[in-house]
Amino acid sequence: MMNKKTLIYDGSFNGFLTAVFNAFDEKISVADIQKNGRVQNGLFSDSETIFTNVAKAKRVWSGVRTKSCNAINTIYFAFLSETDGVEFMCYRYIQKLMATKERKHADFSDETVLYLSQLARKVSREKHRMEAFVRFQLTKDKVYFANVEPDFDVLPLISKHFRNRYADQRWLIYDIRRKYGIFYNLEGVELVSLDLHEIHHNRTGKSTAFTQREYQYQDLWSSYFKSTHITSRINRKLHVQHVPKRYWKYLPEKKEAV
Amino acid sequence: MNYQRIKEKLDILADAAKYDVSCSSSGSKRTNTKKGLGDSTSMGICHSYTEDGRCISLLKILLTNYCIFDCAYCVTRKSNDIKRAAFKIQEVVDLTINFYRRNYIEGLFLSSGIFKSPDYTMERLIAVAKKLRTQENFNGYIHLKSIPGASDELMHEAGLYADRLSVNIEVPTISGLKLLAPDKKHEDFTKPMRKVKQELLRYASERKRIKSTPKYAPAGQSTQMIIGATGESDKDIMFSATHYYQQYHMKRVYYSGYVPVAEDKRLPSMGSQVPLLRENRLYQTDWLLRFYGFKVTEIVNDRHPNLDMEIDPKLSWALRNMEYFPVDVNTADKRMLARIPGVGMGSVSKIIGARRFRKLNWEHLKKIGIALNRAQYFIVCDSRHWQRANLDSLTIKGKILQNSRSKFRTQHSNQLTLFN
Ligand code: SF4
């Protein structure tokens, strides 16, 4: 019997796809696929380090696409959830997809398919939340700046949305937890990392990085927010369900509540 | 910016606008051109939620709350003793742009009290939209209120800049309108609606021939009705709504539980409870008509003029029509699957996707996300076990109510997710 192998990749999505390519190509019997740095060796399996290869990754990508475009999204979104063991589940999913003639991605009675599609939905929900809850603050050097702390690694997913929408202003969205940001410089979007001395959310009070005018607009927005309630209809539970508390510290309209 | 002054106006003019429940910002297809600001191509985003749980996606304000009319149900009516204010056109433009750039909103929803005349008011609303589009290169969402009685020319112009236009019919019956808004005629409401509908059709057919035809109100028109102000039945409301959907090609009809705003003997007294549950049932009915293939008379009719408050309208229909059930989820067509209580359209397509691979049993259905507490009495699947086994509809209703959480009994269920 062939020994099971753990494949170790660099943490990038292309790296993961390369691992999948190698597994198919060399008919490796896969024990697990793990990010380097996070490796937990299985007692009875060998490991092999994968070198990211974009050409190989692309081949897996287009292979999946010929099966289904939905499946591509599902895999990418689920991958970005950073859930433990998600790589192996994605690998199993791709295996199943390739082994079936058609529409396997819609087989919600299959455990793997259901699991990944639910995971992908969670990530997609977080993506939408970020598109909604990013709050830009205009800095003195005219950059619209927002810091965020999403549950999943969604910056790659929201970049296009913000680029299309705010094409005529420079903006920067910074993920505090993952320590990188996306910066739009009026031409394109680049990845940046920052030495962020203060985190600009509600508790820090006023920062010198922003103009007086900026705070006035935040106040106008909060007072607008307040005047939208109809007292006889108040329903806090529903409110918190829609705007979970963990996001409040970045929302100017929730300044007082925080 | 005169911050103090703007803040004061905003307080007054946002407060007066909040009773309009429409906050939709979807359905438009305006892309960002030439590196301008904004787009409205997405599904419509709720950037925040009010403390009563409603979506905030637009800056919703009145241009002014001065009004020459005296509609009984409205805070802005001239006999009401309140603070009045008026925005300048440029002030609305600046607020919109600055809120938009910070990702607070999807766009602007501008309404107004009627000052001087309907046309004079409509012109001002259009001026704001025009400025946003032409001077600021703004591609975000703009919803303008069509002022009852505004001229055809103005309604035509409004559609060139706005994504959506709406006239709130407010009172579902003509007799109610006479009672509560004696200054307004029914035709004042329908005239701008009719004009907008004609223009929508005209532009659509022109676009078929000439690709570059400009957009006219790409997100269509909508209207709102107040619920529970004039003793109307659910049948009155839903028949009216169906009429507006059909005759005026409405994208949406909104139902707004009446919130008493002043003591008036023609209306429910101050402090009366807002009929939130009823509002929710009406929305569910609206959904059934628009997406689930139901006809209005199947849900409300002379024998059943009012909706059952205890259970949702689909369940209610099913209990009255037991002869259609049980439905076999492994063979039934899409139309019938959509009629099963507890099965939403999302689940319908999941069932269809999954049953290609194997016959589905209770376990599968549960995992797919079907509300079995309701659905189980109406379906058979790959199992010999059938829950209903000769239960009559009253017993089923009793069992479902017993097993459902308080959500059917609380008042605060106006925005419960619909059918799932
Ligand atoms: S015309 Fe409009 S703003 Fe004026 S009182 Fe009637 S409903 Fe209110």
Side-chain angles (χ1 to χ4, degrees):
Chain A
M1 203 187 99
M2 212 167 55
N3 244 346
K4 288 204 163 201
K5 260 189 198 166
T6 295
L7 306 181
I8 296 167
Y9 75 108
D10 60 5
S12 70
F13 189 58
N14 276 335
F16 163 71
L17 291 177
T18 311
V20 174
F21 182 90
N22 285 5
F24 277 106
D25 195 43
E26 297 162 26
K27 300 202 171 56
I28 299 171
S29 145
V30 178
D32 201 2
I33 302 179
Q34 296 177 355
K35 271 193 189 62
N36 70 23
R38 273 220 214 156
V39 178
Q40 305 170 330
N41 261 328
L43 214 41
F44 302 106
S45 62
D46 303 336
S47 63
E48 178 179 328
T49 302
I50 302 293
F51 296 97
T52 301
N53 176 323
V54 178
K56 287 179 177 176
K58 272 209 178 115
R59 281 179 61 185
V60 176
W61 200 231
S62 41
V64 172
R65 179 159 35 218
T66 57
K67 292 289 181 181
S68 148
C69 286
N70 286 342
I72 285 192
N73 269 334
T74 306
I75 296 165
Y76 188 43
F77 277 53
F79 178 82
L80 291 175
S81 75
E82 304 170 318
T83 308
D84 272 344
V86 69
E87 295 93 339
F88 189 67
M89 288 303 272
C90 286
Y91 168 68
R92 291 278 299 137
Y93 182 83
I94 295 174
Q95 262 187 330
K96 287 188 178 194
L97 210 61
M98 298 322 250
T100 326
K101 254 198 237 103
E102 52 176 348
R103 304 194 61 83
K104 184 67 184 172
H105 69 276
D107 180 11
F108 296 100
S109 53
D110 179 297
E111 299 272 342
T112 314
V113 175
L114 190 68
Y115 174 79
L116 273 204
S117 80
Q118 282 167 349
L119 207 52
R121 262 192 76 168
K122 278 196 209 159
V123 175
S124 150
R125 206 173 303 142
E126 188 69 358
K127 165 186 187 281
H128 288 297
R129 282 207 176 115
M130 280 303 125
E131 288 169 357
F133 296 154
V134 157
R135 294 285 183 268
F136 287 121
Q137 313 187 63
L138 183 57
T139 64
K140 284 185 177 152
D141 38 9
K142 301 271 181 301
V143 175
Y144 284 85
F145 174 79
N147 34 213
V148 294
E149 225 177 314
D151 291 350
F152 308 117
D153 186 13
V154 293
L155 290 196
L157 301 176
I158 62 175
S159 163
K160 185 161 160 244
H161 169 84
F162 284 97
R163 198 175 58 222
N164 288 341
R165 176 161 293 208
Y166 300 110
D168 72 339
Q169 70 190 41
R170 293 193 298 155
W171 52 260
L172 169 59
I173 304 172
Y174 196 79
D175 182 339
I176 290 164
R177 187 175 306 173
R178 293 168 191 83
K179 298 198 174 38
Y180 81 99
I182 46 178
F183 175 58
Y184 174 73
N185 55 16
L186 299 178
E187 296 294 327
V189 176
E190 49 188 322
L191 296 186
V192 292
S193 60
L194 291 183
D195 228 355
L196 213 53
H197 294 302
E198 36 180 349
I199 291 175
H200 299 287
H201 59 63
N202 288 330
R203 258 171 296 184
T204 49
K206 292 186 182 174
S207 153
T208 52
F210 307 110
T211 58
Q212 189 56 29
R213 176 63 52 95
E214 172 56 38
Y215 289 108
Q216 290 181 344
Y217 276 113
Q218 291 183 20
D219 287 348
L220 286 174
W221 170 244
S222 330
S223 81
Y224 172 72
F225 174 74
K226 245 180 269 156
S227 60
T228 56
H229 316 153
I230 299 178
T231 319
S232 51
R233 301 180 58 125
I234 284 233
N235 184 351
R236 289 257 151 61
K237 208 174 127 203
L238 197 57
H239 173 70
V240 174
Q241 194 177 313
H242 284 306
V243 191
K245 286 198 170 146
R246 61 184 186 282
Y247 302 97
W248 286 15
K249 60 181 169 188
Y250 298 110
L251 302 173
E253 68 266 31
K254 287 306 211 178
K255 196 173 273 180
E256 280 165 32
V258 170
Chain B
M1 173 172 69
N2 183 340
Y3 172 71
Q4 273 314 323
R5 190 73 199 104
I6 298 282
K7 184 167 170 358
E8 213 174 300
K9 289 185 189 183
L10 185 62
D11 284 346
I12 296 171
L13 295 169
D15 192 74
K18 71 185 175 191
Y19 298 99
D20 201 311
V21 293
S22 152
C23 201
S24 160
S25 55
S26 59
S28 193
K29 289 192 197 71
R30 199 176 290 277
T31 48
N32 191 336
T33 45
K34 290 176 281 182
K35 284 214 167 182
L37 173 62
D39 60 12
S40 13
T41 50
S42 59
M43 289 293 292
I45 298 173
C46 295
H47 287 272
S48 198
Y49 288 84
T50 65
E51 293 202 352
D52 43 299
R54 289 170 304 136
C55 165
I56 301 180
S57 88
L58 302 171
L59 170 62
K60 194 192 303 185
I61 48 174
L62 301 191
L63 189 57
T64 177
N65 65 341
Y66 288 103
C67 189
I68 55 174
F69 287 116
D70 206 37
C71 310
Y73 46 78
C74 174
V75 256
T76 301
R77 72 185 184 286
K78 73 171 176 225
S79 65
N80 203 13
D81 182 19
I82 48 164
K83 269 200 191 166
R84 308 273 166 174
F87 272 124
K88 295 197 183 99
I89 288 168
Q90 190 61 43
E91 288 170 342
V92 177
V93 170
D94 289 343
L95 264 182
T96 307
I97 294 293
N98 276 289
F99 278 11
Y100 194 86
R101 287 196 182 283
R102 288 168 175 75
N103 205 41
Y104 298 164
I105 53 172
E106 292 291 283
L108 173 68
F109 180 169
L110 190 60
S111 178
S112 184
I114 302 179
F115 52 110
K116 288 194 186 158
S117 71
D119 274 356
Y120 186 86
T121 310
M122 197 67 224
E123 273 169 26
R124 296 284 158 311
L125 298 186
I126 293 170
V128 172
K130 185 174 179 181
K131 225 173 188 174
L132 280 168
R133 293 284 188 235
T134 55
Q135 282 180 21
E136 303 288 335
N137 200 0
F138 176 71
N139 300 297
Y141 195 85
I142 300 179
H143 179 160
L144 291 187
K145 193 42 70 71
S146 317
I147 301 297
S151 72
D152 283 0
E153 294 71 51
L154 288 176
M155 288 324 299
H156 170 249
E157 201 188 348
L160 299 178
Y161 304 112
D163 294 288
R164 170 164 288 182
L165 294 164
S166 68
V167 189
N168 287 357
I169 198 78
E170 303 291 16
V171 187
T173 57
I174 294 184
S175 58
L177 184 69
K178 281 214 181 86
L179 180 71
L180 297 178
D183 321 323
K184 285 185 189 158
K185 295 190 301 290
H186 185 61
E187 298 78 58
D188 293 340
F189 293 95
T190 51
K191 197 170 140 267
M193 281 186 201
R194 184 165 304 117
K195 176 65 181 172
V196 171
K197 172 197 147 187
Q198 285 163 358
E199 295 292 349
L200 283 168
L201 292 176
R202 186 164 70 87
Y203 274 80
S205 79
E206 250 164 56
R207 189 159 312 111
K208 273 191 202 129
R209 288 183 292 118
I210 311 162
K211 261 265 170 71
S212 61
T213 304
K215 288 190 165 62
Y216 183 87
Q221 61 174 338
S222 65
T223 190
Q224 165 175 302
M225 281 185 252
I226 301 179
I227 304 312
T230 55
E232 69 295 319
S233 69
D234 293 334
K235 178 181 154 236
D236 292 336
I237 295 167
M238 289 320 303
F239 275 46
S240 255
T242 309
H243 171 78
Y244 289 109
Y245 277 124
Q246 286 169 356
Q247 296 301 309
Y248 299 99
H249 297 238
M250 290 290 161
K251 269 272 165 57
R252 285 296 301 275
V253 174
Y254 293 91
Y255 311 90
S256 171
Y258 177 65
V259 180
V261 286
E263 212 50 79
D264 186 313
K265 52 183 182 317
R266 293 166 289 178
L267 287 165
S269 60
M270 291 293 276
S272 322
Q273 217 170 31
V274 184
L276 295 178
L277 182 55
R278 184 173 178 207
E279 192 185 285
N280 181 240
R281 294 286 178 240
L282 289 166
Y283 275 114
Q284 290 176 320
T285 307
D286 186 272
W287 231 251
L288 291 181
L289 304 185
R290 289 190 300 138
F291 303 118
Y292 286 72
F294 282 87
K295 285 206 294 285
V296 65
T297 46
E298 292 183 278
I299 312 288
V300 280
N301 48 48
D302 288 334
R303 284 187 57 202
H304 305 280
N306 286 305
L307 299 167
D308 188 339
M309 288 299 116
E310 283 185 314
I311 53 174
D312 71 72
K314 184 153 65 154
L315 177 55
S316 190
W317 171 84
L319 291 172
R320 295 201 301 259
N321 294 279
M322 293 300 274
E323 66 276 14
Y324 293 114
F325 299 99
V327 167
D328 184 343
V329 289
N330 285 306
T331 56
D333 63 2
K334 195 171 171 184
R335 184 181 147 275
M336 228 24 238
L337 289 175
R339 290 189 168 230
I340 305 169
V343 176
M345 286 318 275
S347 302
V348 168
S349 51
K350 279 189 182 149
I351 290 173
I352 293 175
R355 73 185 184 188
R356 276 176 230 271
F357 291 87
R358 62 182 65 76
K359 280 194 177 289
L360 307 179
N361 59 32
W362 293 113
E363 201 51 38
H364 295 133
L365 294 174
K366 191 168 159 192
K367 283 203 177 141
I368 282 172
I370 283 165
L372 283 182
N373 69 323
R374 273 168 290 160
Q376 60 180 332
Y377 305 101
F378 302 94
I379 50 186
V380 285
C381 57
D382 191 29
S383 155
R384 269 177 307 163
H385 190 58
W386 180 34
Q387 301 291 328
R388 184 169 126 202
N390 297 325
L391 298 179
D392 63 49
S393 44
L394 252 161
T395 319
I396 295 177
K397 181 175 169 180
K399 278 177 177 287
I400 291 174
L401 281 176
Q402 225 169 42
N403 294 326
S404 60
R405 278 158 295 135
S406 61
K407 81 172 185 184
F408 289 116
R409 288 169 210 117
T410 63
Q411 261 288 324
H412 283 311
S413 49
N414 60 318
Q415 294 254 328
L416 289 173
T417 45
L418 296 145
F419 306 112
N420 247 324

